[in-house]
Amino acid sequence: MYSKLFLFFIICSALGCSLFETKQNLPRKEIKDWNPSKAVDTGSPRKRLALLPFLDKNPNHPTDFKESSRRALMLDLNKSGNLIAMSADEFNLDLTKKLADGTYDMKELTKQTKDTGVSAFLVGQIVAVRIESKAGQIGIIRKLKTGIEVDVQVKVASIRGGKEIFNTVKTVRMEDENVRVAERVDTDRFVKANTELIQVMIKDAFLEFTSQIIASLDRITWEGRIAAVQGDRLFLNVGRISGLQVGDLLKVSEDGDDIYDPDSGVHIGKSPGRLKGTLEIISYFGTDGSIAVIHSGAGFKENDKVEVY
């Protein structure tokens, strides 16, 4: 069955036809590797985006549907050079605390990672896979026109208070005419028989989010943290990969206080913290850290926030 659908993809490619309701045509070529040292210089620091393990509303789907899609999206985001997409597995997170609908408690997770230099969390979810079929039957032979639809969702939440800044569902559709013998069309059975095709469709649907995810991060201000203070040298948790250059000046401030709406109790944001001064980047250390010296001000401490000057 898969070989017939794959052949249909190839034929349509030659004819220039479109298989999907969204703007994509054929599945994208998967990105094989990304070298952070060769990231595109955008002229400004890159924000860190942590991708949580993806979710799937159907527990009967192969688990690789979720993980292969997360890897593909992470590589595609990194290839853009606009941000640093990383796996949330790098942090010691407690992912067991979920909301009633089975999704992650973003506010709880932001508390666990507020001092890591991560700007936002992303979680993807496979919402549904649907199989529709119209059949004309002659004896035991049924000629079918099969429609395959995949719904996927991506949410992005800012580390600051766990506020959601992006939430969109996309649908990918493909149609094919084929012949089946005495077989009842059932979604779960179809997915098992066509695992590779469905997996490609799911990954391609998630990759369609790349430009929107990058744009959503424009709503977040870039920041890093002072990781350690040793004499006249200050070690920051952001460095070359994050887009900092030797000679850059960064302003340093304390964390502000959380502000809540007095009527609804909803978190509005943080008040600006006290400005302490500025630092100058003099060198790098580790995978993505930098060393700075005081340019102006005093009283700098671990966990103080650094921002673009």
Side-chain angles (χ1 to χ4, degrees):
M1 176 60 200
Y2 171 69
S3 61
K4 291 181 181 179
L5 290 174
F6 183 72
L7 178 60
F8 181 73
F9 270 107
I10 296 174
I11 293 172
C12 285
S13 177
L15 295 177
C17 62
S18 175
L19 298 178
F20 302 105
E21 291 182 338
T22 53
K23 64 182 179 181
Q24 68 251 41
N25 292 315
L26 289 177
R28 299 184 184 187
K29 181 179 179 182
E30 186 173 353
I31 306 160
K32 298 298 182 182
D33 197 8
W34 175 72
N35 187 343
S37 65
K38 297 181 179 180
V40 178
D41 185 4
T42 61
S44 59
R46 287 181 279 272
K47 296 162 188 171
R48 293 177 181 174
L49 176 67
L51 278 70
L52 293 162
F54 281 11
L55 304 171
D56 190 342
K57 286 193 174 182
N58 189 333
N60 296 322
H61 288 163
T63 56
D64 196 46
F65 280 5
K66 297 177 291 184
E67 189 54 30
S68 62
S69 296
R70 183 170 70 141
R71 290 195 304 266
L73 181 57
M74 187 158 52
L75 289 170
D76 204 27
L77 288 166
N78 279 324
K79 187 184 177 184
S80 72
N82 296 91
L83 52 82
I84 301 172
M86 55 202 303
S87 172
D89 302 338
E90 297 180 29
F91 308 100
N92 186 25
L93 300 178
D94 180 5
L95 300 177
T96 60
K97 297 179 180 179
K98 294 186 178 181
L99 302 178
D101 61 356
T103 58
Y104 296 112
D105 186 338
M106 293 295 195
K107 289 186 178 180
E108 175 61 32
L109 292 176
T110 56
K111 294 177 183 178
Q112 300 179 38
T113 54
K114 65 178 183 178
D115 302 329
T116 60
V118 172
S119 297
F121 277 124
L122 179 149
V123 59
Q125 179 165 320
I126 302 168
V127 178
V129 176
R130 294 183 296 278
I131 309 298
E132 301 172 348
S133 200
K134 296 180 181 179
Q137 188 161 340
I138 304 176
I140 64 170
I141 304 297
R142 297 191 305 166
K143 192 166 186 177
L144 305 176
K145 185 174 183 180
T146 303
I148 309 169
E149 284 191 345
V150 171
D151 296 339
V152 298
Q153 180 180 33
V154 166
K155 295 180 181 181
V156 179
S158 169
I159 290 297
R160 296 179 181 178
K163 185 178 180 180
E164 193 174 276
I165 60 173
F166 181 78
N167 184 348
T168 302
V169 176
K170 287 185 182 288
T171 299
V172 172
R173 180 177 176 84
M174 187 192 79
E175 290 188 352
D176 181 35
E177 289 187 358
N178 57 86
V179 177
R180 291 190 177 188
V181 180
E183 181 180 349
R184 180 175 64 85
V185 177
D186 175 84
T187 297
D188 285 345
R189 289 175 60 191
F190 184 92
V191 170
K192 288 180 181 179
N194 300 274
T195 300
E196 188 174 348
L197 172 63
I198 302 301
Q199 182 170 325
V200 169
M201 291 182 67
I202 291 172
K203 284 197 294 185
D204 203 56
F206 277 114
L207 290 174
E208 280 297 314
F209 283 102
T210 297
S211 60
Q212 291 175 291
I213 293 168
I214 294 170
S216 74
L217 293 184
D218 289 341
R219 300 170 60 184
I220 301 175
T221 303
W222 177 90
E223 67 177 51
R225 296 282 172 168
I226 295 177
V229 179
Q230 296 182 2
D232 61 350
R233 299 198 305 170
L234 299 95
F235 294 81
L236 312 183
N237 67 353
V238 284
R240 189 197 302 271
I241 295 176
S242 291
L244 294 183
Q245 305 293 326
V246 171
D248 281 352
L249 293 181
L250 300 175
K251 62 181 180 181
V252 183
S253 60
E254 295 177 337
D255 259 340
D257 296 324
D258 289 311
I259 306 297
Y260 296 89
D261 186 289
D263 294 326
S264 64
V266 174
H267 184 266
I268 301 174
K270 281 182 174 290
S271 63
R274 181 176 67 88
L275 183 64
K276 291 186 171 183
T278 58
L279 302 177
E280 180 179 351
I281 304 299
I282 60 170
S283 61
Y284 306 108
F285 78 97
T287 303
D288 187 26
S290 60
I291 303 173
V293 294
I294 297 174
H295 180 264
S296 67
F300 303 106
K301 298 179 180 178
E302 287 184 14
N303 202 40
D304 279 349
K305 181 172 62 177
V306 297
E307 298 176 282
V308 176
Y309 181 66

